[in-house]
Amino acid sequence: MSRIRTTVVGLAATTAFFAIGSQAFADGEVNIYSYRQPELIQPVLDAFTKETGIATNVLFLDKGLVERISAEGVNSPADVILTVDIGRLVEARDGGVTQPVSNEIINKDIPAHYRDPAGEWFGLTTRGRVVYASKERVSDTAITYEELADPKWKGRICIRDGQHSYNIGLFASMIAHHGVDYTETWLRGFKDNLARKPDGNDRSQAKAIMAGECDIALGNTYYVGLMMTNEKDPEEKEWAAAIKVLFPNSADRGTHVNISGMALAKNAPNKDNAVKFMEFLASGEAQEIYAEQVFEYPVMPGAKTSDIVTSFGTIKPDTLSLADIAANRKAASELVDKVGFNDGPTQ
């Protein structure tokens, strides 16, 4: 019988998560605060406990993770932080709730451009910020992010809120590659090519393409896998079937990717077990389990992707340091407001 115990607690919960008693601080356990849904990480937790005998306790939060750990202070039971998006990893670091890890095993398995130079966070899997394109109306087989400002796409692009962290990450990468002035001009051209005001989420962009509202859109790769396998809402399979995935800039610098990642909590009470867990997550075995579950790409070179992810096509990830990209997020957010991106196209 598995020793893993997964606990899901909403942000509004007022009772202490580890009210189960002193067991949370006992030997042989590790406490995980996660922005990622427990069911998505359960297979890798099962594998970790099977290999090490160390049980896991999981607190899932959909927001406010940094604030919670800060409020708990030195008595926080958090050992490891799991999250998605470079922005949230940087938020945890800048919020003072992480501590550096210098570990040869982790550094060997995770390429340098997917980890914080000071060891405050580490990437585990990546997702590409790609172009969803209509199979019926788009004959192009290649595209660049720069081309999204080309007038040939006028009135043909859909996108979610420009201030969403997924888009800010991409815009920040454009600043890192081209500078602020170029990116401002590019964003204005991009905005004028929109079919409507930014709206919805990544999945709804695929739905809009199927409905003929636009021909291309920006979206994360893993949403395609989620739509393709959605038995609960099978209409999403039709949205996925209506699009093809184009990997921007495959012929030059590569496609912008974001990460899911991990960090060691500042006051980890089970630090040794936490580092063991982080070493396991960095391993090829764990990356492949994790990546298959969430339809993402392992960061370890040579690690296998799932059949569904492989079906999207070949990705050539941009190797620009995510730390460099993160440093431009504030400037990217300011540009979104400056050009009025969320107002939609100029009539």
Side-chain angles (χ1 to χ4, degrees), residues 78 122 228 242 291 299 308 315 323:
F122 302 86
M228 289 172 64
V299 297
I308 287 178
I315 187 171

Side-chain angles (χ1 to χ4, degrees), residues 65 75 107 122 141 151 159 167 298-299 301 326:
L65 185 149
N75 295 316
N107 289 345
F122 302 86
T141 58
I159 193 172
N167 289 329
V299 297

Side-chain angles (χ1 to χ4, degrees), residues 36-49:
R36 189 139 240 180
Q37 296 278 359
E39 60 269 22
L40 295 180
I41 61 175
Q42 193 65 51
V44 77
L45 299 183
D46 288 337
F48 171 70
T49 295

Side-chain angles (χ1 to χ4, degrees), residues 76-98:
S76 175
D79 291 313
V80 175
I81 297 167
L82 292 182
T83 186
V84 293
D85 188 75
I86 181 62
R88 283 186 161 175
L89 287 167
V90 170
E91 178 186 61
R93 181 198 66 190
D94 293 349
V97 300
T98 64

Side-chain angles (χ1 to χ4, degrees), residues 54-198:
I54 298 172
T56 64
N57 303 295
V58 180
L59 168 64
F60 165 68
L61 299 116
D62 58 358
K63 58 183 177 180
L65 185 149
V66 173
E67 291 81 1
R68 172 137 186 171
I69 297 177
S70 295
E72 292 168 343
V74 295
N75 295 316
S76 175
D79 291 313
V80 175
I81 297 167
L82 292 182
T83 186
V84 293
D85 188 75
I86 181 62
R88 283 186 161 175
L89 287 167
V90 170
E91 178 186 61
R93 181 198 66 190
D94 293 349
V97 300
T98 64
Q99 61 174 298
V101 175
S102 180
N103 183 282
E104 290 183 4
I105 295 174
I106 296 174
N107 289 345
K108 174 179 65 69
D109 291 341
I110 298 177
H113 56 282
Y114 292 134
R115 46 185 161 90
D116 178 61
E120 297 271 358
W121 53 258
F122 302 86
L124 295 172
T125 57
T126 67
R127 74 289 293 273
R129 194 71 179 150
V130 297
V131 169
Y132 299 168
S134 169
K135 288 180 179 177
E136 291 185 355
R137 301 183 301 278
V138 177
S139 60
D140 304 60
T141 58
I143 198 169
T144 66
Y145 294 116
E146 289 79 3
E147 288 176 50
L148 296 176
D150 189 318
K152 71 174 278 189
W153 296 111
K154 189 170 182 62
R156 302 175 67 189
I157 305 177
C158 288
I159 193 172
R160 71 191 302 165
D161 190 327
Q163 289 289 2
H164 191 277
S165 60
Y166 298 157
N167 289 329
I168 291 298
L170 171 61
F171 302 160
S173 77
M174 292 293 288
I175 293 174
H177 281 292
H178 296 296
V180 172
D181 291 344
Y182 174 96
T183 304
E184 178 180 342
T185 300
W186 173 76
L187 271 177
R188 292 186 187 278
F190 188 175
K191 171 193 170 184
D192 284 343
N193 285 342
L194 297 180
R196 53 170 169 72
K197 289 184 178 182

